[in-house]
Amino acid sequence: ELYRRLASHKKTLIAMVVALVAWLVLAIKDVPLDESIGYTIQAIGFCALIVLTIEYSHKLRETRVFRAVAWIGVYSYGIYLWHSLALAPGDMLIRKFAALHVPALAAWAPVLIAQFVIAIVIGYVTTRAVEFPFLRLRDAIFPARRKGPKGEGMPEELEVPAVGGHVL
């Protein structure tokens, strides 16, 4: 009930997210302030963002950006495990930009984008090459034993598809 009441106040949630963005842009430079009330402000703001996303994203869910983020989410564990491999190429790019006397602020975006792309590619490859085959092997060795309340199998529309059978 508390969640529903909070979710019904869309303008308040938007104000909380705007306050979060303002905090992140303006106040985070003050370390003592950030390490005291900053965590609370960020927690409240990000919770408001999550509630807004869950409750008011119907049209957003149909966009290509949402689908791209959802696709990345399938490979997020592989990205998490192997993202550190993207740091060395990023460091090389930073040194190349510095050698060309490109200002740090101008170099920031291309380096970050390159690191994201590298991490996503590595996560995709490792997930497809390692995680999915091992999950298929697990499913073959230990098939799921799902029983309904009376012992019958789970209805087909409720079954979870096999690993790698996702469609995005």
Side-chain angles (χ1 to χ4, degrees), residues 6-120:
L6 178 65
S8 68
H9 299 301
K10 186 176 181 181
K11 290 180 182 176
T12 304
L13 292 168
I14 291 171
M16 292 169 142
V17 172
V18 169
L20 168 69
V21 171
W23 177 265
L24 293 174
V25 170
L26 303 172
I28 206 159
K29 294 172 185 86
D30 187 352
V31 175
L33 189 63
D34 186 46
E35 290 181 353
S36 58
I37 65 167
Y39 296 138
T40 304
I41 291 171
Q42 290 180 38
I44 291 169
F46 283 119
C47 284
L49 179 63
I50 290 169
V51 172
L52 275 172
T53 303
I54 291 170
E55 296 296 325
Y56 300 101
S57 64
H58 311 300
K59 291 180 182 175
L60 176 67
R61 285 183 226 152
E62 298 169 6
T63 66
R64 289 184 189 267
V65 172
F66 185 88
R67 293 181 65 74
V69 171
W71 180 85
I72 291 170
V74 171
Y75 302 99
S76 63
Y77 186 63
I79 294 167
Y80 161 73
L81 287 178
W82 299 102
H83 75 276
S84 60
L85 295 177
L87 297 177
D91 191 41
M92 290 174 15
L93 276 173
I94 290 170
R95 280 187 265 137
K96 288 209 182 278
F97 280 126
L100 295 171
H101 304 291
V102 174
L105 189 59
W108 181 81
V111 169
L112 196 60
I113 290 169
Q115 286 180 318
F116 280 1
V117 169
I118 292 167
I120 291 167

